[in-house]
Amino acid sequence: MTNLCWPSGEGPRDKLLGRGEASLSDAELLAVLLATGYRNHNALELARDILHEFGGLVGLLRAGEEELLACRGVGRAKYAVVRAALELARRQAQQQLEAGSVLSSPGCTRRFLQHHLGRREREVFCCMFLDNQHRLLRCEDLFMGTLDGAAVYPREVAVRALRYRAAAVIFAHNHPSGVAEPSSADRRITERLTAALALLDVRVLDHIIVGSGSEYSFAEAGLI
C-alpha cells in the first residue's frame, strides 16, 4: 500500500516553504493545490496521474470541466482550486500588461494570451486595444467560431477601436487544433483588418495565433 503521507518536512508543501516554489516540479506544485489524494494515492501521485493524462501543464490548461472531473480522485472542490489558480495566473498577466507598454513585455503578452485563449475548445478572435503609449485599454473577445474558424467583421473591430479611443491594436485568436500556424484565411483577414483600421489611423501591431503551448506572431514573421 502506498503511503498517503510524507515524513515531517518532506512533502511538497514543506519543500515549497523551505526551499521556495521554484524548487518544486510541476507535479509537486499541482500537489500543493490538490492538498489530498485518494485511496492508496497521495496528492503527489494524483498530480502526476493528472499531468500524464493531459500531457503536462499545457494540456491541463486546455482541459474542460468534464475531462478533469473524469479523473479519479478529482471532485468539484479540486476542480475549483485548479481553475481558480489558472484564473489568478491569467489576471496577474493581464495586470502586468495594464501597468506598462505591451511592446516592452512580449513574453507577458503571450502568457496572457495563452491563459486567455489556450483552453478554448472553439476558435475565439479577440482584440487588445492599446493607447498611444501601447498600454492595454481593454481586451475583448469579438468573434466566436466553430472548430473550423470564426467569422471576423472589420466593421465591428473598427467600431470598438473608436469606442475605446485606441491608437493601436493587437489581434489574437486560438487554433483549437493546437497548431499555431496561420492559414490563408488568417492572412486575408489580417490584411482586411489592417486596411480598415488604417483609415482610422489605428495601427495594427501584431496578430498572434495561440496554439498548444506555442504562439505564432505575424509581426515577427514580417507579415505586418
Side-chain angles (χ1 to χ4, degrees), residues 46-164:
L46 174 58
R48 286 171 176 162
D49 288 346
I50 292 172
L51 292 176
H52 177 74
E53 174 70 22
F54 295 108
L57 292 176
V58 172
L60 178 59
L61 172 67
R62 295 170 64 89
E65 181 176 359
E66 290 186 6
E67 293 174 293
L68 271 172
L69 292 177
C71 295
R72 188 178 181 187
V74 178
R76 296 190 64 82
K78 285 185 171 61
Y79 168 78
V81 168
V82 172
R83 293 259 52 95
L86 292 173
E87 177 60 14
L88 281 173
R90 188 195 71 84
R91 294 186 186 188
Q92 184 268 346
Q94 181 174 345
Q95 288 176 13
Q96 278 189 304
L97 290 179
E98 292 171 342
S101 168
V102 169
L103 294 185
S104 68
S105 54
C108 185
T109 301
R110 292 186 179 207
R111 282 196 304 276
F112 166 71
L113 291 172
Q114 272 291 346
H115 285 298
H116 187 65
L117 296 174
R119 66 180 299 265
R120 309 292 185 95
E121 295 180 357
R122 296 188 181 277
E123 192 164 307
V124 177
F125 184 97
C126 75
C127 186
M128 300 172 66
F129 298 96
L130 313 174
D131 66 13
N132 57 12
Q133 296 183 36
H134 299 151
R135 293 174 300 194
L136 182 64
L137 296 170
R138 187 180 181 93
C139 178
E140 187 169 335
D141 296 340
L142 297 182
F143 308 105
M144 311 289 178
T146 65
L147 289 175
D148 299 319
V152 178
Y153 303 100
R155 180 177 179 277
E156 295 298 323
V157 179
V159 166
R160 283 169 171 76
L162 290 173
R163 178 187 302 171
Y164 304 134

Side-chain angles (χ1 to χ4, degrees), residues 178-212:
V179 179
E181 291 291 330
S183 65
S184 57
D186 293 334
R187 294 171 185 262
R188 287 195 301 271
I189 193 58
T190 303
E191 292 172 357
R192 288 176 57 203
L193 289 168
T194 301
L197 291 177
L199 298 175
L200 305 176
D201 199 26
V202 176
R203 293 182 58 209
V204 176
L205 301 182
D206 204 350
H207 184 172
I208 297 173
I209 300 174
V210 176
S212 181

